[in-house]
Amino acid sequence: MAHLYEKNNKKVLTFLLLFTPISIMIYALIACGLFFKFQKENNNIVLSEYKQVVCDEQKKDLIHQINFYKGVYERHRQNILEMVKTLPPKGNIKIALFDNNGKLLYTNINNKYLLNRLHLFINSNKIHEDDNYLYLTKNIGVKKYKISAILDKRLFSQKISDLKNKLYSNIREAIFTSFIWLTIIWFLFTLISIYIAYKIYKQMKQYEKKLKDSNDRVVFQSRQAMLGELLPMIAHQWRQPINKIASILIRMRLEISKPEPNSETLDRYCQEIEDSVELMSNTIEDFRRFYRPKDEPEVVEVSTIVRKSIYFLHELLDKKNIILKQNLQTSYVKLHGNELMQVIINLIKNAYDAIDNDGEISISVQEKDKNIIIKVEDNGPGIPPEVLGKIFEPHFSTKESSMGLGLYMSKLIVESHFGGTIKAYNTNKGAGFEIVLNKNV
């Protein structure tokens, strides 16, 4: 559970650290994009209206210039040819004077193409235009003359282009300024996110330490309870070699009391005593390792751990005449062997409590892919469905005399310390437990 808790912590901290600045950055990019889009549309509207205003102004200028010549001639009745020569048009307007038959009398237009274009409209009193010019012709002096004017729109097109560039320059400047401020805000929120994530991380580490201490206490309490159950079994296992040694010593006394003791018989008796003492020493050494584990994990052979667990429970299993089936494949893994032994003992004892006399327990160790799979199954009544989901919860037990820590501690060790998984299930014969460990060696 602790390794899952630690993974979840990292996910939460990563989310807290990245969510705010990334959200602000995404929001800023969307806001800038929408701002540019709306501002561009607004500029297009402004430019369109400005173009229309400019076009109207150009037409007014063109009409005003024609009416100016017409008014001067009608007021003064001076020679019209002299008039147009002495009163040049204003701005970018060019003029041409025709007689009533369309003959050109005067012009300051040097472009033959424009003159030809203008000649097309001399019989029309309306304004005509193309991409670059406006054309207008009016009669002067009771249709005796025709005066035409051309206005070059390109000068105003340049002004429109300059206005467009200025508008877009303002957009770029606004976006750049907004980007600078958003960068500053993003940086500040990033610092705030880091600070908040750091504070939450410290709180989570404190909680994780409390959780670890609590789990360690649970494991210790479970181990203490198990030790109380194992001590009588170990005492019984010692009683047999002690009785054997006592019996051998009696026979040795008899042999020594003979006039001629047999040295080979005495050596055999001594060897039997040494074997019994070694058996007692191995038993107490296994018990010591179980009670006082090593600080660092080590490479252990899983089947050997299972056999030692069975050895500790041999006397208990014999009480119910339980048949123990073993299918143990040699497999190596790096972990605390005493903790794995504690889990195996818990599972075997759980199976022992569930079955009656002459029952059957099967234990298997197999390798599959890159995993080591340990199974403990019995031929008991199985696990009720309403209990199956709660069986690994702390202080949950269907036995009145149990603390309800054995299976919880087993799950804690397998998942938190080993990084593996453990599950309970029902078979067609009874119940079973499966441990899956990653083969890390």
Side-chain angles (χ1 to χ4, degrees), residues 129-186:
E129 64 178 308
D130 54 23
D131 293 337
N132 298 322
Y133 297 95
L134 291 174
Y135 308 91
L136 178 62
T137 300
K138 282 196 174 184
N139 296 319
I140 299 179
V142 196
K143 298 185 179 181
K144 187 176 181 180
Y145 300 101
K146 295 179 183 291
I147 187 164
S148 300
I150 298 177
L151 187 144
D152 192 344
K153 298 192 298 184
R154 288 176 294 182
L155 177 62
F156 295 97
S157 297
Q158 183 61 41
K159 290 182 179 180
I160 293 173
S161 178
D162 293 342
L163 175 61
K164 181 178 180 180
N165 292 334
K166 185 177 180 180
L167 290 173
Y168 279 101
S169 176
N170 291 339
I171 293 177
R172 288 191 293 270
E173 184 177 351
I175 291 176
F176 178 76
T177 304
S178 301
F179 178 77
I180 294 297
W181 279 107
L182 287 171
T183 302
I184 294 173
I185 294 172
W186 176 83

Side-chain angles (χ1 to χ4, degrees), residues 101-254:
N101 296 321
K103 180 181 179 182
L104 181 64
L105 301 177
Y106 169 80
T107 184
N108 58 357
I109 302 172
N110 299 321
N111 191 319
K112 291 184 178 181
Y113 171 77
L114 292 180
L115 286 173
N116 293 332
R117 290 280 295 170
L118 184 59
H119 201 270
L120 296 174
F121 309 124
I122 61 173
N123 293 321
S124 173
N125 289 324
K126 296 180 180 180
I127 295 177
H128 299 272
E129 64 178 308
D130 54 23
D131 293 337
N132 298 322
Y133 297 95
L134 291 174
Y135 308 91
L136 178 62
T137 300
K138 282 196 174 184
N139 296 319
I140 299 179
V142 196
K143 298 185 179 181
K144 187 176 181 180
Y145 300 101
K146 295 179 183 291
I147 187 164
S148 300
I150 298 177
L151 187 144
D152 192 344
K153 298 192 298 184
R154 288 176 294 182
L155 177 62
F156 295 97
S157 297
Q158 183 61 41
K159 290 182 179 180
I160 293 173
S161 178
D162 293 342
L163 175 61
K164 181 178 180 180
N165 292 334
K166 185 177 180 180
L167 290 173
Y168 279 101
S169 176
N170 291 339
I171 293 177
R172 288 191 293 270
E173 184 177 351
I175 291 176
F176 178 76
T177 304
S178 301
F179 178 77
I180 294 297
W181 279 107
L182 287 171
T183 302
I184 294 173
I185 294 172
W186 176 83
F187 181 73
L188 291 176
F189 271 94
T190 301
L191 292 179
I192 293 172
S193 298
I194 293 173
Y195 175 76
I196 294 174
Y198 173 72
K199 297 294 288 185
I200 294 176
Y201 172 76
K202 286 186 65 177
Q203 292 181 359
M204 285 182 172
K205 292 300 288 184
Q206 292 175 358
Y207 175 75
E208 185 178 346
K209 185 177 182 302
K210 292 180 181 178
L211 181 63
K212 184 179 182 301
D213 293 341
S214 176
N215 291 339
D216 289 343
R217 283 195 297 271
V218 170
V219 173
F220 177 75
Q221 291 173 2
S222 178
R223 185 179 290 126
Q224 291 293 100
M226 189 177 295
L227 287 175
E229 298 175 359
L230 291 178
L231 281 173
M233 302 176 196
I234 294 172
H236 178 81
Q237 290 172 1
W238 267 34
R239 189 178 295 113
Q240 183 178 358
I242 289 174
N243 291 337
K244 184 177 181 179
I245 291 173
S247 175
I248 293 171
L249 288 174
I250 292 173
R251 285 180 290 177
M252 286 183 69
R253 284 178 182 274
L254 291 174

Side-chain angles (χ1 to χ4, degrees), residues 276-290:
S276 297
V277 171
E278 183 179 358
L279 177 62
M280 295 172 64
S281 176
N282 290 338
T283 300
I284 200 65
E285 180 63 22
D286 290 339
F287 181 76
R288 185 190 67 82
R289 288 180 180 175
F290 175 77

Side-chain angles (χ1 to χ4, degrees), residues 275-372:
D275 292 342
S276 297
V277 171
E278 183 179 358
L279 177 62
M280 295 172 64
S281 176
N282 290 338
T283 300
I284 200 65
E285 180 63 22
D286 290 339
F287 181 76
R288 185 190 67 82
R289 288 180 180 175
F290 175 77
Y291 184 68
R292 300 182 65 180
K294 293 184 178 181
D295 294 334
E296 296 296 329
E298 58 184 352
V299 177
V300 297
E301 205 279 299
V302 177
S303 296
T304 301
I305 299 294
V306 172
R307 291 189 184 96
K308 287 182 179 180
S309 304
I310 295 172
Y311 175 74
F312 278 131
L313 300 174
H314 182 71
E315 174 66 19
L316 184 68
L317 298 176
D318 286 344
K319 287 183 178 180
K320 287 187 177 182
N321 195 29
I322 292 175
I323 299 173
L324 193 65
K325 294 184 177 181
Q326 303 179 45
N327 180 19
L328 307 179
Q329 180 180 342
T330 302
S331 303
Y332 292 90
V333 67
K334 188 174 182 180
L335 43 72
H336 287 100
N338 70 300
E339 291 185 339
L340 180 59
M341 187 186 301
Q342 187 174 356
V343 173
I344 299 298
I345 290 174
N346 267 324
L347 298 183
I348 295 176
K349 280 188 82 286
N350 192 77
Y352 168 84
D353 293 335
I355 59 180
D356 298 324
N357 294 337
D358 301 321
E360 182 179 294
I361 298 176
S362 62
I363 305 175
S364 65
V365 176
Q366 294 180 337
E367 288 189 15
K368 186 176 181 181
D369 298 330
K370 294 183 179 180
N371 295 322
I372 298 173

